Amino acid sequence: MAKLNIPTRLTIVRIILIPLFVALYLIDFPYNGVAAVAVFMIASFTDFLDGYLARKWNQVTSLGKFLDPIADKMLVMCALVALLLDQSQGPIFTMIVAIFLMLIESRELIVSCFRIIAASKGLVLAADRWGKMKTVCQMVALIVLLPHRSLYEIFGGADWLSICYYIGFALLAAATLLAIISGANYIIKNKKVLSDGN
């Protein structure tokens, strides 16, 4: 097996950080949400860094292309499930986040299957701007929402904390909408993939 390059190692680090993030978020100790979101932010940064370095150093590998999207989807899915398990926000919040999770993950499944079909025909489909906007909104929303309970323990019912909460929720709703738009646009733009011709 070939030696792992630095971008691929960063992707593997991101995968390793995911169970650490989940454990920190679910284990009840003072300010656990702040600790968990710090790990989440580090993992999110490796997502940017490994792609940047792979392109800059021309170290894009098949293993990297395989692991990178898996790591991204695992990180986001685990973060959304963690939000679901946090009952402190009430049943309405939990229900809405559950709907967001189902829509976002359904989109990811559809697009992933679509890419598999494209790859079987020798086509490589690049992400579009809608998908990139979705990713940014998703990550920022999760960074804002995940530590909310811990920050509430520190600052109480501060006005700015409530504002951040609603901003995070709005960004998560926007990410869900962008997930639907980008998924539909991705398939429509590349509908030739579904044709039986070459």
Side-chain angles (χ1 to χ4, degrees):
M1 183 176 178
K3 185 177 179 180
L4 296 176
N5 59 32
I6 291 177
T8 302
R9 289 182 182 181
L10 286 171
T11 303
I12 293 172
V13 168
R14 183 157 75 257
I15 293 173
I16 294 171
L17 288 175
I18 293 171
L20 175 61
F21 154 72
V22 172
L24 289 172
Y25 193 80
L26 297 182
I27 296 172
D28 189 16
F29 63 90
Y31 317 135
N32 65 312
V34 175
V37 84
V39 174
F40 181 85
M41 290 174 69
I42 294 170
S44 300
F45 179 68
T46 66
D47 179 23
F48 158 77
L49 189 60
D50 62 11
Y52 172 77
L53 293 179
R55 291 186 296 271
K56 181 179 180 180
W57 295 341
N58 194 25
Q59 292 185 352
V60 177
T61 63
S62 296
L63 180 60
K65 288 190 287 186
F66 170 71
L67 289 178
D68 186 64
I70 291 176
D72 297 345
K73 290 170 179 55
M74 285 173 59
L75 180 63
V76 171
M77 183 182 68
C78 289
L80 288 171
V81 171
L83 276 181
L84 272 181
L85 295 176
D86 181 5
Q87 300 297 316
S88 65
Q89 305 303 325
I92 295 178
F93 174 84
T94 301
M95 180 185 68
I96 295 174
V97 171
I99 293 170
F100 289 167
L101 172 62
M102 288 185 282
L103 290 172
I104 290 172
E105 293 308 317
S106 294
R107 181 265 186 198
E108 299 296 352
L109 179 61
I110 291 168
V111 170
S112 295
C113 292
F114 194 77
R115 282 176 172 159
I116 290 172
I117 296 171
S120 70
K121 298 184 175 185
L123 299 174
V124 177
L125 306 180
D128 61 8
R129 61 175 181 172
W130 295 104
K132 293 176 181 177
M133 290 167 58
K134 180 264 301 179
T135 299
V136 171
C137 284
Q138 210 167 237
M139 292 303 187
V140 175
L142 290 168
I143 289 170
V144 172
L145 290 173
L146 286 168
H148 185 267
R149 182 178 58 182
S150 292
L151 292 176
Y152 188 84
E153 293 172 2
I154 301 171
F155 299 104
D159 291 340
W160 67 267
L161 192 55
S162 297
I163 292 171
C164 287
Y165 172 81
Y166 288 115
I167 290 174
F169 192 81
L171 285 171
L172 189 58
T176 305
L177 179 60
L178 287 168
I180 297 170
I181 293 172
S182 65
N185 180 64
Y186 194 81
I187 292 173
I188 292 170
K189 187 171 67 174
N190 301 291
K191 58 183 182 294
K192 62 186 178 184
V193 170
L194 298 177
S195 66
D196 291 326
N198 293 326

